[in-house]
Amino acid sequence: QVQLVGSGGGLVQAGGSLRLSCAASGSILSINSMGWYRQAPGKQRELVAVITSGGSTNYADSVKGRFTISRDNAKNTVYLQMNSLKPEDTAVYYCNLRIGLMNHAYWDQGTQVTVSS
């Protein structure tokens, strides 16, 4: 069984910074990628950033240059450093883990990020 525990959300003023963390534990044999998605009220869940087992990264255009994803392989933990936050970044942020040959996806409970103007 795989568990993801995310943390680090909160309320911040526009221009501020937050750092999200997500730790994976359990029966994890082969991690393909770890990443972050977000869902704002009334909108679909969207990819924010992802990092593969090889260290390749991909970002949504809306966060490029402001957000940085990183990973501690020894701790099976992924981080999202969010700088220059904007009100439109307000959303519930979900950590995503994909493992194994079937690329099974796992999600954490979600972390609220609110950016005030």
Side-chain angles (χ1 to χ4, degrees):
Q1 191 171 4
V2 176
Q3 293 181 332
L4 293 175
V5 178
S7 62
L11 173 64
V12 65
Q13 289 188 332
S17 298
L18 284 174
R19 188 189 193 210
L20 304 183
S21 300
C22 178
S25 62
S27 302
I28 302 172
L29 297 179
S30 176
I31 294 179
N32 298 330
S33 67
M34 298 185 78
W36 296 91
Y37 289 69
R38 67 186 181 187
Q39 187 167 18
K43 294 187 177 181
Q44 290 187 330
R45 190 173 297 188
E46 62 176 1
L47 173 70
V48 176
V50 64
I51 184 166
T52 68
S53 59
S56 297
T57 58
N58 189 37
Y59 295 91
D61 288 342
S62 59
V63 307
K64 284 181 180 177
R66 300 188 297 122
F67 291 10
T68 302
I69 189 170
S70 60
R71 181 174 153 186
D72 185 332
N73 291 332
K75 297 180 179 179
N76 285 338
T77 299
V78 64
Y79 306 95
L80 185 68
Q81 179 66 44
M82 304 184 293
N83 298 329
S84 302
L85 282 161
K86 304 176 181 180
E88 50 263 44
D89 294 318
T90 295
V92 177
Y93 283 69
Y94 295 92
C95 175
N96 173 262
L97 168 71
R98 294 187 181 272
I99 63 174
L101 293 175
M102 299 301 292
N103 210 31
H104 286 296
Y106 295 87
W107 300 89
D108 75 340
Q109 75 283 2
T111 300
Q112 178 69 47
V113 171
T114 302
V115 184
S116 63
S117 58

